[in-house]
Amino acid sequence: MLLLFYLHIFITIISSFGGFLFYLFLNGRNASNKPLIFYPVMGLIVVTLISQVAVLFIPINAYFSGSLICVMLFLCVLKKRDTRLFLKRVIASFQTLSVTAILFIGIAWLMVLSLNAGPIIMDDTDSYHLQMVKWI
């Protein structure tokens, strides 16, 4: 369960920066005026799209993930000023959260983690979902 916790944090960070880079290169300087929830959602869409196109030609493994992260880090370094502003905005938004909001987010995250660590709920997972993940 601790590994899932770390993976959730890692995927959230990667998705957030993917969404930030998407909006930055799509809208230019207007990338920082979106609500913060837009960044991880759009980043997850972008990373998934890139991975699904790449799986047609190469296997999705640690080398692909590492190279994708390196490209994202390079783009963040390239746009250092905008990245710094984005990070300041994220930190400022976390500092303004109340104790109730932090407690609610923590409980919701623990519920998601316990569902992820528990047994498989859907009947279709063993038949074709798991097979597709193994194939990719």
Side-chain angles (χ1 to χ4, degrees), residues 5 27-28 33 60-62 64 83 86 104 115 120 129 132 136:
F5 177 71
N27 295 337
N33 61 0
I60 305 298
N61 53 18
F64 175 80
T83 305
F86 175 68
F104 177 74
L115 285 173
I120 296 173
H129 293 138
M132 290 300 295
I136 289 173

Side-chain angles (χ1 to χ4, degrees), residues 94-131:
F94 279 117
Q95 289 175 345
T96 60
L97 287 176
S98 67
V99 175
T100 309
I102 292 172
L103 187 64
F104 177 74
I105 290 170
I107 289 171
W109 203 348
L110 283 174
M111 287 174 50
V112 169
L113 280 174
S114 64
L115 285 173
N116 286 344
I120 296 173
I121 297 171
M122 296 292 291
D123 294 335
D124 293 341
T125 301
D126 288 334
S127 62
Y128 64 91
H129 293 138
L130 195 60
Q131 300 303 322

